[in-house]
Amino acid sequence: MNAPQPLAARTVVQGVQKMTPSEAFVETLVAQGVDTLFGIMGSAFMDAMDIFAPAGIRLIPVVHEQGGGHMADGYARASGRHGVIIGQNGPGISNAVTAVAAAYWAHSPVVVITPETGTMTLGLGGFQEASQLPMFQEFTKYQAHVNNNKRMAEFTARAFDRAMLEMGPTQLNIPRDLFYGEIQCEIPQPIRIERGAGGEAALNAAADLIASAKNPVMIAGGGVVMGDAFQSAIALAERIGCPVVNSYQHNDSFPASHPQWCGPLGYQGSKAGMRLISQADVVIALGTRLGPFGTLPQYGMDYWPKNAKLVQIDADAKMIGLVKKCDVGICGDAKAAALALLARLASRTLACDATNAERAAKTLAEKEAWENELGQWTHERDAYSLDMIEEAKGETLPFSSGSPKGSWLHPRQVLRELERAMPAHVMVSTDIGNINSIAHSYLRFQEPRSFFAPMSFGNCGYALPTIIGAKVAAPHRPAISYAGDGAWGMSMGEIMTCVRHDIPVTAVVFHNRQWGAEKKNQVDFYNRRFVAGELDNASFAGIAKAMGAEGIVVDSLEGVGKALNRAVDLQMNGRKSTVIEIMCTRELGDPFRRDALAKPIRLLDKYKDYV
C-alpha cells in the first residue's frame, strides 16, 4: 500500500480541468488542508478512497464509527483544524451520530462525510439505505447534499468552509454513484474570515462598566481556547486584577499557575472560584455561552451573583443573554474583544485599582482554603459511602499488582496523585461519570488545547477515542484519558486502533464496579434500592495486554504516580499504549442532576413501600 504523501509536498490542481468527481472531492480535501480522516472503509466511497494516499491523506481505520467521530473531535480540538469522519452509508453513518452531537456542543469543526445510497435506488428500501440528513440535522451547523456530480467540489468546499465559519460540525452527504463520471471542475479555495471585536458602542459600554466595578470577576470560556485568545485573556485579567474562573469543562482556558486563576465553575468545580464569583459586582464572561450545567448550584452553594452586572462576549450572537441576563452583550471574537477592551482600559483609572493588593490576598486565601480541603477530602461523609469503606476493608481484590498493601483506593486520593504526576504539556480527556466529574477539581493546565470533555451532551465512551484523535494531531504531547469502568466498556476496543496504527496513548480506568453517577441518585432519592447499577468486571489491564498494549493494575496510592510515569514513558519513548487500571472504592460524590430529581411518589398499593 502506498504511504500518504507528506503535507508539505502536496499541491492542488489549478484552474478548470477535466477530472472525475472522486478526484474533485479529494482535491478539495487537499485544498482545505485535510491530511487525516477517521472511519471504516466502505464500498460507498471506495473510488475516492483509492486515491487518498497519493493525495497525502491518511485514513485511520477505527473499531467503531462512534470512536472515529470522537477521534475527529479530539483532532479538531487539539489542532484547531478540521476533524473528519467518514464511513459506509447506512449503519456506518448512523454509528457516528452520538460523536457528532458531542462535537456540536464542543463547537468542534468536524466534517462528517456521509456517502449515501445511489440516486437510482433511493427510496426503494435497498441494502443499507437510510435517510441520512435527518439523522444529523439537530447536531450540524450546515448540511450539504451533492445533487449533481458536477457540484462535488462546490459542496465539499462549502461543508468545510462552514465548519470553520460557524465553529461546529457540518455534514457532506454524497450519493454513492455520484463519485463516478467525468466533469469539468475548478477546485475552490478555502474561505476564512477575520473575526472582529464587536460593536464599538458595546465595547465602550463594557469598558465603562468594568472601569466602575469594585469587585470584578472574569470567566474564561471555550472561546478563549478556540479563538487563540489565551494570552489576550491573561493580559486583560492582569489589567483588571480580577480573579479568573474557567467555564465548565474548559480548565485549559487560563493557566493554573497564574495567581489570578481560581479553577472551574459548575459541576464538581472549584469552591474558591464559586465563593469569589458570588461576591462579584461585575462578571466579564469572555468566550462563553454560560451553559446551565456550568452555572448551577454546587456543594450546597447557589453561587451565581444575583445583583452583578454581566458583560458577555461570544462569537455567536444567539448565545448572548440566553442563559443569564446580560447587561452588555458583545458579539465578537474572544481575542479581538479582549484586546479591544484592554486598549480601552489601559490608560483609565479603574475603581478596583485601589484594592488590587487586598483582592489578590483574598483570592490567595480562598485558593489555599480550597486546596487544603481537597487535600484532606478522603470521604464524602454519607452513610452509603461509609458502609462501602467498611465493606471494602474485607474484600479481596479481584486483580492485584502483587503489592502487600493492595487495597481499594479512595477516588479523590487517586485523583490527587494523578494530578501530582502529570507531565508537562499534557493533554487529558475525561469521560462522563462520577469520578471523571470529580476530576475537574484536580485537572490543571498551563496551555490551551489541553483538556477535552464531552461537554453538555455528556455521552459515555468519549474519552479514549477523543484522546487518540488529539494524539494524532499533536504527537509530541503526552495524551491521557480518564474513564470509569462503565464508560470504558463502550470504547476500550479502540485500544486496538492505537496498537494497529502506532498511536500511543495512556488510558486511566477507575475500576469501582458500578455506574456511580446514576447509583448516587438511587442513594439519595430511592432509599438505596439499586437497580442495574452494579458492574462485575474482568481485568481491564489483562484485556489491554490481550489487545497488544501494556496493562498495569494499581492498588496502592504510592503506585499511582509510578504507574502514570511509566505509562507516559512508554508512550513518548517506547511508542506503546498503556491501560492503567486503578482499583477504587465505591465512594460517590454529589449527584449529577439533583436539580432534576425528586423523592418518589407511589399511588398504587403494591408500590407504596417503594418511597
Side-chain angles (χ1 to χ4, degrees):
M1 178 179 175
N2 294 327
Q5 189 179 12
L7 185 61
R10 302 195 303 175
T11 59
V12 181
V13 297
Q14 301 296 314
V16 178
Q17 293 198 33
K18 184 184 293 185
M19 62 185 77
T20 69
S22 285
E23 291 170 332
F25 168 72
V26 171
E27 283 295 300
T28 308
L29 297 185
V30 174
Q32 292 283 339
V34 175
D35 59 5
T36 304
L37 293 84
F38 302 92
I40 296 178
M41 66 181 297
S43 61
F45 63 100
M46 196 163 284
D47 190 64
M49 186 176 69
D50 187 54
I51 55 174
F52 282 171
I57 297 172
R58 179 189 184 193
L59 173 61
I60 297 179
V62 300
V63 173
H64 190 279
E65 289 89 353
Q66 179 177 329
H70 288 318
M71 290 178 205
D73 186 0
Y75 184 96
R77 294 176 70 177
S79 68
R81 299 164 54 203
H82 293 104
V84 189
I85 166 72
I86 192 169
Q88 176 68 5
N89 61 257
I93 296 310
S94 65
N95 281 345
V97 172
T98 293
V100 174
Y104 177 85
W105 288 108
H107 304 286
S108 295
V110 168
V111 179
V112 53
I113 300 173
T114 58
E116 189 180 56
T117 298
T119 57
M120 296 306 295
T121 59
L122 186 64
L124 300 181
F127 184 63
Q128 296 182 325
E129 180 178 344
S131 297
Q132 296 179 173
L133 290 169
M135 290 183 194
F136 295 94
Q137 183 175 2
E138 185 177 350
F139 303 118
T140 50
K141 298 287 189 177
Y142 171 74
Q143 294 178 292
H145 174 71
V146 179
N147 57 2
N148 187 302
N149 60 10
K150 295 177 182 178
R151 303 185 70 182
M152 179 71 79
E154 173 195 346
F155 280 120
T156 300
R158 190 166 298 138
F160 279 85
D161 287 340
R162 289 287 186 90
M164 283 296 186
L165 294 174
E166 300 195 35
M167 289 307 295
T170 60
Q171 180 183 5
L172 176 61
N173 198 62
I174 310 171
R176 55 187 296 160
D177 55 314
L178 298 190
F179 283 102
Y180 301 91
E182 184 179 293
I183 61 174
Q184 292 279 341
C185 180
E186 182 174 9
I187 305 302
Q189 292 300 304
I191 298 173
R192 302 291 182 267
I193 62 169
E194 181 180 3
R195 300 181 188 274
E200 288 292 311
L203 288 165
N204 291 336
D208 290 342
L209 192 55
I210 295 167
S212 69
K214 295 180 179 179
N215 197 24
V217 175
M218 178 188 291
I219 304 175
V224 171
V225 176
M226 291 178 282
D228 296 323
F230 199 69
Q231 295 302 323
S232 305
I234 295 171
L236 180 60
E238 289 177 345
R239 172 62 194 95
I240 302 170
C242 61
V244 180
V245 294
N246 308 107
S247 67
Y248 179 61
Q249 293 193 332
H250 289 296
N251 293 27
D252 58 345
S253 62
F254 202 83
S257 60
H258 196 285
Q260 291 169 239
W261 172 84
C262 299
L265 295 182
Y267 184 62
Q268 295 290 347
S270 163
K271 285 188 181 181
M274 294 173 192
R275 290 190 183 109
L276 288 163
I277 199 171
S278 71
Q279 302 166 39
D281 58 353
V282 172
V283 174
I284 305 109
L286 181 62
T288 173
R289 69 184 184 94
L290 298 173
F293 210 58
T295 53
L296 81 171
Q298 187 65 193
Y299 309 119
M301 290 189 289
D302 189 2
Y303 56 84
W304 187 261
K306 301 298 184 294
N307 298 316
K309 301 293 185 180
L310 174 62
V311 175
Q312 186 179 3
I313 303 157
D314 199 285
D316 185 349
K318 297 187 295 296
M319 297 297 106
I320 303 294
L322 180 64
V323 177
K324 295 295 182 182
K325 180 183 176 182
C326 178
D327 296 277
V328 180
I330 300 172
C331 180
D333 172 73
K335 180 178 180 179
L339 292 175
L341 288 174
L342 185 61
R344 285 164 170 77
L345 298 172
S347 59
R348 293 181 67 168
T349 298
L350 310 185
C352 62
D353 285 345
T355 59
N356 270 349
E358 177 186 340
R359 291 183 298 118
K362 186 174 185 178
T363 296
L364 178 60
E366 289 287 6
K367 288 169 62 175
E368 287 179 344
W370 175 230
E371 287 304 307
N372 184 59
E373 182 176 355
L374 276 181
Q376 297 180 16
W377 199 337
T378 57
H379 61 79
E380 303 300 325
R381 297 181 177 87
D382 65 73
Y384 172 69
S385 294
L386 293 174
D387 287 350
M388 290 299 99
I389 293 173
E390 292 303 315
E391 173 194 325
K393 288 180 180 177
E395 286 190 78
T396 302
L397 291 177
F399 331 109
S400 176
S401 65
S403 167
K405 297 181 181 179
S407 62
W408 299 104
L409 306 178
H410 189 286
R412 286 189 177 272
Q413 291 178 313
V414 169
L415 291 167
R416 186 59 113 181
E417 292 300 315
L418 289 169
E419 175 198 335
R420 290 169 177 154
M422 280 292 166
H425 309 298
V426 70
M427 300 183 293
V428 178
S429 65
T430 57
D431 225 293
I432 200 70
N434 197 271
I435 297 177
N436 289 277
S437 296
I438 293 171
H440 294 167
S441 296
Y442 301 87
L443 288 169
R444 293 96 189 276
F445 303 96
Q446 306 306 325
E447 58 193 294
R449 303 195 182 279
S450 298
F451 183 43
F452 315 106
M455 311 306 297
S456 297
F457 201 58
N459 67 288
C460 293
Y462 175 89
L464 175 63
T466 299
I467 207 64
I468 293 171
K471 183 68 175 181
V472 173
H476 59 289
R477 299 183 65 183
I480 300 169
S481 70
Y482 284 7
D485 44 9
W488 178 249
M490 294 189 183
S491 61
M492 65 181 178
E494 298 299 347
I495 287 291
M496 290 190 287
T497 300
C498 297
V499 173
R500 290 167 176 166
H501 304 292
D502 190 26
I503 310 170
V505 301
T506 299
V508 177
V509 183
F510 303 104
H511 186 145
N512 65 351
R513 304 156 290 154
Q514 63 188 2
W515 287 104
E518 297 299 345
K519 194 171 178 181
K520 178 63 172 175
N521 293 325
Q522 293 174 334
V523 172
D524 287 354
F525 295 94
Y526 296 94
N527 199 25
R528 297 173 59 176
R529 291 188 298 275
F530 300 129
V531 180
E534 309 294 339
L535 295 174
D536 185 13
N537 301 310
S539 170
F540 296 124
I543 294 171
K545 290 178 180 178
M547 288 190 284
E550 182 59 75
I552 304 172
V553 176
V554 177
D555 53 14
S556 66
L557 276 181
E558 58 267 29
V560 174
K562 293 177 182 177
L564 188 63
N565 290 336
R566 179 185 170 195
V568 171
D569 180 65
L570 284 172
Q571 178 188 152
M572 302 305 295
N573 299 315
R575 298 202 60 79
K576 189 167 188 178
S577 293
T578 302
V579 174
I580 302 174
E581 181 177 15
I582 301 181
M583 313 306 288
C584 292
T585 65
R586 290 177 165 177
E587 295 270 357
L588 296 172
D590 281 350
F592 267 103
R593 298 307 308 274
R594 189 185 296 277
D595 62 314
L597 288 165
K599 291 291 185 181
I601 297 173
R602 305 290 181 237
L603 299 179
L604 294 176
D605 288 342
K606 68 177 182 178
Y607 296 132
K608 284 185 177 178
D609 290 337
Y610 288 84
V611 293

